[in-house]
Amino acid sequence: MTIPLGLAPTRRAVLTRRIRWFVAATITYNVVEAVVAITAGTRASSTALIGFGLDSVIEVASAAAIAWQFSGPDHERRERTALRVIAVSFYALAAYVTVESARALLGAGRAEHSTIGLALAAVSLAVMPVLSAAQRRAGRELGSASAVADSKQTLLCTYLSAVLLVGLAVNSLFGWWWADPLAALAIAAVAVKEGREAWRGDACCAPGRPAVGCVDGCCADDQA
């Protein structure tokens, strides 16, 4: 993905600065999220919460790659490297979720109730979609595939938040411990797909690319 030729230098500077702020916000939030989730997960023996916290660590790595890319004046040259880091982050997340889900289904351990975990998942479910949409719009207008890919990483955190919230709630209310690992396996499949697209440098509805086959809603959001 390249910067649209018609983009004015002043607008380009505004978008670059905006992406830097989004990245800073993502890193700050995910550092706090990781500490809270891993601590609460350890206390409740919850692999889902611990996995959610490790996903936050991966989010930080992805956002840090974007921060590095946009720290220099010629950030287009760094885009491929940033995309590869994001892709590897997706693959690492998918591998971890798959392994931990399999262990949970095989009876490696059942989580206890966690009020902190439920609250954290609910807050993330509200915050992450807004942050993801804002970064995606800025990245698409600037023509940065890496910024769009990082916004998808943030959006994936939204899905994981929903899975975590449902899993913890269902486990607490009904004792259905198997619901969370099954849903997490679906998230792992999504992570593999997004990792493949990031590695290739694809981005939904990129400038100059037909909107055919866009299934994650980004086209509709950008047109709104």
Side-chain angles (χ1 to χ4, degrees):
M1 182 186 279
T2 57
I3 293 179
L5 297 177
L7 195 61
T10 53
R11 181 59 178 169
R12 185 182 306 174
V14 168
L15 292 171
T16 299
R17 186 166 56 251
R18 188 175 298 173
I19 289 175
R20 287 172 180 165
W21 277 107
F22 291 147
V23 167
T26 298
I27 291 176
T28 301
Y29 183 85
N30 278 284
V31 167
V32 175
E33 186 178 70
V35 172
V36 173
I38 293 174
T39 301
T42 301
R43 289 178 178 175
S45 300
S46 171
T47 54
L49 259 176
I50 294 174
F52 187 73
L54 292 178
D55 167 67
S56 299
V57 174
I58 294 175
E59 288 261 359
V60 171
S62 176
I66 302 300
W68 168 77
Q69 179 191 348
F70 284 91
S71 63
D74 191 10
H75 54 79
E76 295 93 339
R77 292 186 178 180
R78 297 181 173 184
E79 181 155 82
R80 179 170 293 276
T81 301
L83 280 169
R84 294 297 170 85
V85 171
I86 293 171
V88 170
S89 297
F90 273 121
Y91 291 142
L93 173 58
Y96 178 82
V97 169
T98 299
V99 171
E100 289 304 310
S101 297
R103 291 181 68 248
L105 289 172
L106 292 174
R110 299 184 182 183
E112 301 174 2
H113 169 76
S114 175
T115 302
I116 294 178
L118 287 167
L120 178 65
V123 171
S124 296
L125 193 58
V127 172
M128 288 303 178
V130 177
L131 186 59
S132 174
Q135 183 174 342
R136 184 171 65 246
R137 288 192 180 96
R140 278 187 33 74
E141 185 176 351
L142 184 61
S144 172
S146 59
V148 174
D150 186 57
S151 76
K152 290 184 177 183
Q153 176 77 287
T154 304
L155 186 61
L156 183 61
C157 184
T158 302
Y159 301 149
L160 285 175
S161 299
V163 167
L164 179 64
L165 184 60
V166 172
L168 292 178
V170 168
N171 186 38
S172 295
L173 293 173
F174 308 109
W176 294 352
W177 59 270
W178 42 262
D180 181 38
L182 284 180
L185 288 175
I187 296 299
V190 174
V192 171
K193 172 182 176 294
E194 299 297 351
R196 185 172 62 250
E197 291 183 359
W199 188 271
R200 294 199 309 250
D202 294 346
C204 174
C205 310
R209 174 180 170 182
V212 177
C214 176
V215 295
D216 64 0
C218 69
C219 301
D221 290 345
D222 290 334
Q223 295 299 326

